[in-house]
Amino acid sequence: GIISMEPGQSTTVIELLNAMLVASSNESAVALAERGAGTEEQFVARMNERAAQLGLTTAKFYSPNGLPVYTLSAQPAKLQNQMSAYELFRFSSYVLKKYPEITEITSQAYASMPSLEYITANSNPLIFNLPGISGLKTGSTNRAGHCLSASMPVTVNGETHDIILVLLGSENGADRG
């Protein structure tokens, strides 16, 4: 992981959210999942239930952090979270409407975890290059490539709308940016 965490250490939920959403900290996602549901597996089950409730039919989750899960069966498999670009757009739109305060975290250029003496830069280069962008989430795996969901509020005729960008399958982080 990018943040050194030891069993039994304490930090706050907001610090874990900052690390997960700004720095793309996989270990923070796992810690939040375990805190929220007891185990990663129970949290993933909740993720899949919620995706179904939202009508996200292409969404299938195997891990709370987006990393592949390897099975130990006779024929090992690498299971990876998945969702179509369209449904990632719909989900991003839902999150922005239901939890608009998330952009207070995702639009930060830098985030800190004082309890773990950790400071990090946003993994989304658009934050540094496009004023007004609110980030949302970056991610990458070998199969998915480098991916991004971002939003930017745009005002037209006195009405503000969030323009949402979904980019999947970029060759590398520089191309994604």
Side-chain angles (χ1 to χ4, degrees), residues 6-80:
E6 300 295 327
Q9 271 184 311
S10 293
T11 189
T12 66
V13 168
I14 193 68
E15 285 185 16
L16 290 170
L17 284 169
N18 273 284
M20 180 183 73
L21 294 170
V22 174
S24 210
S25 164
N26 296 318
E27 57 276 40
S28 293
V30 169
L32 286 164
E34 290 174 346
R35 173 73 171 98
T39 68
E40 288 182 67
E41 294 77 17
Q42 290 171 320
F43 190 80
V44 168
R46 286 184 182 179
M47 290 171 66
N48 285 308
E49 287 170 17
R50 188 68 179 129
Q53 290 169 357
L54 293 172
L56 304 175
T57 59
T58 65
K60 179 66 178 164
F61 301 107
Y62 297 97
S63 70
N65 57 14
L67 292 178
V69 172
Y70 296 89
T71 65
L72 299 175
S73 63
Q75 259 190 319
K78 181 166 74 169
L79 306 172
Q80 295 200 33

Side-chain angles (χ1 to χ4, degrees), residues 145-146 169-177:
H146 292 258
S170 187
E171 289 290 322
N172 54 53
D175 286 347
R176 174 180 63 196

Side-chain angles (χ1 to χ4, degrees), residues 55-59 83-92:
L56 304 175
T57 59
T58 65
M83 186 183 302
S84 71
Y86 173 67
E87 288 192 355
L88 186 53
F89 162 79
R90 286 184 47 224
F91 181 69
S92 297

Side-chain angles (χ1 to χ4, degrees), residues 106-168:
T106 62
S107 62
Q108 297 176 98
Y110 299 91
S112 66
M113 297 180 74
S115 66
L116 299 176
E117 299 177 1
Y118 184 79
I119 297 174
T120 186
N122 198 312
S123 60
N124 182 347
L126 297 178
I127 294 294
F128 301 95
N129 299 314
L130 190 58
I133 197 96
S134 62
L136 291 188
K137 192 67 191 82
T138 61
S140 64
T141 64
N142 289 341
R143 185 182 293 166
H146 292 258
C147 304
L148 167 72
S149 176
S151 72
M152 184 173 187
V154 175
T155 303
V156 177
N157 297 329
E159 244 185 271
T160 301
H161 302 274
D162 284 308
I163 303 300
I164 298 172
L165 161 73
V166 172
L167 173 70
L168 304 178

